[in-house]
Amino acid sequence: MNILILGSGGREHALAWAVMQNPKCDRLIVAPGNAGMAQIAECASLDIEDGDAVVTFAQQNTIDFVIIGPEAPLAKGVADRLREAGVSVFGPSAEAAKLEASKSFTKEVCDAAGAPTAAYGHFTDADAAKAYIREQGAPIVVKADGLAAGKGVIVAMDEQTALDAIDDMFGGAFGGAGAEVVIEEFMEGEEASYFILCDGKTALPIGTAQDHKRVGDGDTGLNTGGMGAYSPAPVLTDDIAARAMREIIEPTVAEMAKRGTPYQGVLYAGFMIKDRQARLVEYNARFGDPECQVLMMRLGAQALDLMLACAEGRLDEAQVNWADDHAITVVMAANGYPGAYQKGSIINGLNDLPEDSKNMIFHAGTTEVDGKITATGGRVLNITARGDSLQEARDRAYAMIDKIDWPGGFNRSDIGWRAL
């Protein structure tokens, strides 16, 4: 098969790595890719948010299957254009992707499906939103309704922070994403991620993970796109996961089909778990980053088979074969991230590291300049390892980090601390 992956981050490198393990893959192209992906696949320059351009590229290169990594092309309807052109694709339609692209839409679906989630209000007017905050009090959560690259959520521990967030959002701090806001009840508990493949009718769980959002050790400092993750997440026990499937996931999938917008792709559910019950924090319409890295490390070659079954409506025949193992990924970020950071620093020592089924470096913000790997983003590398225990996987990952020579970067030293 000729396969095209859209995206340029650590998530897409992990997807590319898993796909390349499968003998069904004859040719792999990633667009636009990064320096790490260029070592295992062809990289192509392509506007991945332009559905017509993606279709034309797929036809010119005889692409059999397209995997869409990030959320933006999904929200722009790239999967719809590919399906219309008869190209098999992994990723939901633009209407179905509204489960991520619109917080208020997700709340409507949850209400209709009876899925447990936070109490909320939806506002298009700043004064009404502020009145609701004053009525509810703090702590409270303020969310930009649309896509804001993971930055449009403010967990306000006091009323003034929440009111300031309203001014920022309606003032254009998040562009069009903040033209409407959702204000939610603050939920207590432990957060974990659940990943489910859906083909429009069947929902198949493919794994759990736990992310580390804060920039500093001990979950301190600013929120980021994620500083590390591990899988499985012990807090999401088999019993809690089974109940969440019955009460949240399956009713959501049924409601989406009932609306005439069946969900086809990966459904990433963020749960808050308290007293052995999960409540939905949010849905994402794509794999998490960096959670995808640990999932792909554990799934390996079967990931492609599962995604194909999903795209072809055969999930009722599919089965996930899990090894009794653990995986962890530690993000190395450019100094200054998540604030202003410098681009262009050189990373040495990567060539001396093992790359196999237990040890991988997934690139995110990198390019190759004059034969040297150069940092171009905020989150730059994902140091990922598997082990028979989480401790073994963690030791492997940090041993690799010790051999990387990059004064321009940093990482957290405590990824996996909750489980350990």
Side-chain angles (χ1 to χ4, degrees):
M1 295 182 73
N2 295 335
I3 297 170
L4 170 66
I5 296 177
L6 303 183
S8 62
R11 164 181 50 219
E12 289 77 34
H13 190 183
L15 288 166
W17 174 83
V19 164
M20 286 295 289
Q21 310 303 305
N22 193 305
K24 287 189 178 73
C25 179
D26 298 308
R27 182 188 182 199
L28 178 62
I29 305 174
V30 289
N34 60 37
M37 285 185 261
Q39 296 172 7
I40 61 170
E42 301 170 47
C43 290
S45 179
L46 177 64
D47 181 354
I48 65 171
E49 295 181 25
D50 182 338
D52 291 336
V54 174
V55 166
T56 299
F57 183 88
Q59 291 170 337
Q60 290 173 343
N61 288 275
T62 326
I63 297 296
D64 301 298
F65 188 45
V66 179
I67 299 168
I68 301 178
E71 61 272 25
L74 297 170
K76 292 280 182 70
V78 172
D80 304 76
R81 283 292 295 112
L82 286 162
R83 287 191 181 98
E84 288 163 10
V87 181
S88 182
V89 58
F90 178 79
S93 67
E95 273 299 304
K98 282 170 68 177
L99 280 176
E100 175 168 8
S102 170
K103 307 289 191 300
S104 57
F105 175 79
T106 298
K107 290 296 189 181
E108 289 172 21
V109 170
C110 286
D111 286 348
T117 184
Y120 75 102
H122 172 223
F123 302 93
T124 55
D125 171 77
D127 290 337
K130 288 181 176 182
Y132 183 82
I133 288 168
R134 291 188 181 104
E135 180 186 325
Q136 298 297 320
I140 199 162
V141 181
V142 182
K143 296 182 176 181
D145 186 63
L147 292 176
K151 298 178 178 68
V153 177
I154 308 298
V155 180
M157 300 311 290
D158 60 82
E159 198 172 285
Q160 191 57 50
T161 301
L163 297 173
D164 291 344
I166 295 297
D167 287 334
D168 288 345
M169 289 182 187
F170 282 108
F174 299 101
E180 301 179 26
V181 302
V182 169
I183 303 173
E184 290 185 352
E185 158 202 4
F186 174 82
M187 291 191 288
E188 294 181 334
E190 190 170 342
E191 211 167 336
S193 305
Y194 199 23
F195 293 87
I196 300 100
L197 294 187
C198 308
D199 64 5
K201 49 189 188 299
T202 301
L204 178 71
I206 59 164
T208 67
Q210 197 157 33
D211 189 10
H212 298 65
K213 285 291 184 196
R214 300 279 183 174
V215 71
D217 284 3
D219 288 340
T220 57
L222 297 172
N223 263 333
T224 71
M227 294 301 294
Y230 56 90
S231 174
V235 67
L236 201 46
T237 64
D238 290 346
D239 288 347
I240 295 171
R243 184 175 175 185
M245 281 295 292
R246 290 193 308 270
E247 295 182 354
I248 302 175
I249 304 301
E250 289 168 356
T252 297
V253 172
E255 176 62 23
M256 292 297 287
K258 182 178 163 187
R259 289 169 176 245
T261 54
Y263 193 92
Q264 193 172 22
V266 62
L267 189 59
Y268 158 15
F271 292 149
M272 188 65 76
I273 299 164
K274 185 181 180 184
D275 299 331
R276 300 190 59 75
Q277 180 173 4
R279 295 169 77 193
L280 183 74
V281 176
E282 64 180 4
Y283 279 129
N284 291 304
R286 37 72 195 180
F287 284 107
D289 187 346
E291 296 97 330
C292 184
Q293 287 82 311
V294 288
L295 288 176
M296 292 304 117
M297 201 72 179
R298 296 185 66 213
L299 283 170
Q302 66 178 315
L304 175 59
D305 297 324
L306 292 167
M307 288 187 281
L308 282 168
C310 180
E312 295 167 3
R314 299 183 287 102
L315 271 186
D316 57 341
E317 306 167 9
Q319 180 178 316
V320 186
N321 298 308
W322 282 114
D324 185 18
D325 63 357
H326 299 256
I328 194 166
T329 189
V330 182
V331 170
M332 295 191 78
N335 290 338
Y337 177 81
Y341 55 85
Q342 186 179 359
K343 296 182 180 180
S345 57
I346 293 170
I347 306 166
N348 292 308
L350 297 179
N351 292 337
D352 301 327
L353 296 175
E355 292 199 340
D356 51 40
S357 63
K358 290 187 182 295
N359 309 271
M360 273 301 301
I361 310 292
F362 294 123
H363 290 232
T366 65
T367 189
E368 187 173 331
V369 180
D370 298 329
K372 295 180 178 178
I373 301 298
T374 303
T376 58
R379 292 187 299 161
V380 177
L381 297 172
N382 303 266
I383 317 305
T384 312
R386 277 173 65 205
D388 292 335
S389 67
L390 183 59
Q391 186 66 57
E392 182 184 330
R394 186 179 185 276
D395 291 345
R396 265 204 187 107
Y398 281 106
M400 284 194 280
I401 287 172
D402 288 342
K403 294 176 182 173
I404 296 173
D405 177 14
W406 183 32
F410 75 99
N411 58 272
R412 279 182 56 165
S413 64
D414 65 343
I415 301 303
W417 72 269
R418 281 187 186 277
L420 293 170

